[in-house]
Amino acid sequence: MRRSVLAFDRVLVLLLGLLLIVVGVAAVGWQTGFLASVWPDVPDEVAVDSAQVTEASSFAVLAGLVGGALVVIGVWWLLAHVPRRSVGSLRLPSGEQPGRLVVDPGPAVSTAADVLADDPLVRSARGAVLDDRGELVVRLRATVDPDADLGSVVAACDRVLVDLAHVLPAEQLRSRVELSVLRRGEVGPRVR
């Protein structure tokens, strides 16, 4: 989510919160008769008999509709702000032919993880492309044995990332490799 959207959301939530507090306090004051004691000279155009309003048959229907609409809006707002870290298709640089070329990065990154897992120093590897704070990131997670030479593992990761940069638009992506080292005596599954 962009910072401008986040800032707008925070300001909007603050204003809505304050409005709900004021309306809630006014509703409680109206029901308890506190508002009538604070403003005894209320003009007839503003004065409302709470018993007359709440006993009306349309009040329950209207309150139910407003409540239902607020629930739907609240659920929509929450779902709209669920972080989506997955990435869709990436646009490839234009070539000599007119048109738009796109590539789905998922299979390419999955294949890169499989190639990394084929290295004898690597027990298993997984890969994904994520949207991390506005940047597209290729994340490779590899598990290695405790006696593996980390320099060789890093070199294998670098080779896989260089090959991946030939397939995916490298100027649009960053890369991150996360290595997990098994404990001594721990036997992890070897995934090929």
Side-chain angles (χ1 to χ4, degrees), residues 143-156:
T143 303
V144 298
D145 288 321
D147 55 349
D149 178 31
L150 290 182
S152 300
V153 172
V154 169

Side-chain angles (χ1 to χ4, degrees), residues 26 28-42 47-48 50:
V28 169
W30 178 41
Q31 287 292 332
T32 61
F34 177 71
L35 291 181
S37 64
V38 171
W39 192 13
D41 300 333
V42 63
V48 177
S50 61

Side-chain angles (χ1 to χ4, degrees), residues 5-6 24 37 40 55 72 87 95 100 115 132 135 140 158 160 164 175 177 186:
V5 173
L6 189 58
S37 64
E55 291 172 4
V72 169
V87 175
R100 181 175 178 205
V115 169
D132 188 10
E135 297 225 346
L140 292 176
D158 286 342
V160 167
L164 189 60
S175 60
V177 177
E186 183 179 3

Side-chain angles (χ1 to χ4, degrees), residues 19-108:
L19 178 68
L20 287 174
I21 289 171
V22 168
V23 168
V25 168
V28 169
W30 178 41
Q31 287 292 332
T32 61
F34 177 71
L35 291 181
S37 64
V38 171
W39 192 13
D41 300 333
V42 63
D44 290 336
E45 299 86 29
V46 181
V48 177
D49 182 13
S50 61
Q52 182 182 2
V53 171
T54 55
E55 291 172 4
S57 62
S58 61
F59 177 77
V61 173
L62 183 62
L65 289 175
V66 169
L70 288 175
V71 167
V72 169
I73 291 170
V75 169
W76 170 80
W77 193 346
L78 288 174
L79 291 177
H81 288 83
V82 170
R84 291 179 183 86
R85 295 185 55 152
S86 63
V87 175
S89 298
L90 300 176
R91 190 171 189 173
L92 294 174
S94 58
E96 296 176 9
Q97 299 293 327
R100 181 175 178 205
L101 298 173
V102 294
V103 63
D104 182 15

Side-chain angles (χ1 to χ4, degrees), residues 147-191:
D147 55 349
D149 178 31
L150 290 182
S152 300
V153 172
V154 169
C157 293
D158 286 342
R159 285 191 301 272
V160 167
L161 290 174
V162 166
D163 289 343
L164 189 60
H166 292 296
V167 178
L168 297 178
E171 67 278 353
Q172 296 179 29
L173 299 171
R174 304 284 180 256
S175 60
R176 177 173 65 216
V177 177
E178 299 171 3
L179 293 177
S180 297
V181 179
L182 294 173
R183 294 183 188 150
R184 293 234 179 254
E186 183 179 3
V187 179
R190 185 169 268 306
V191 179

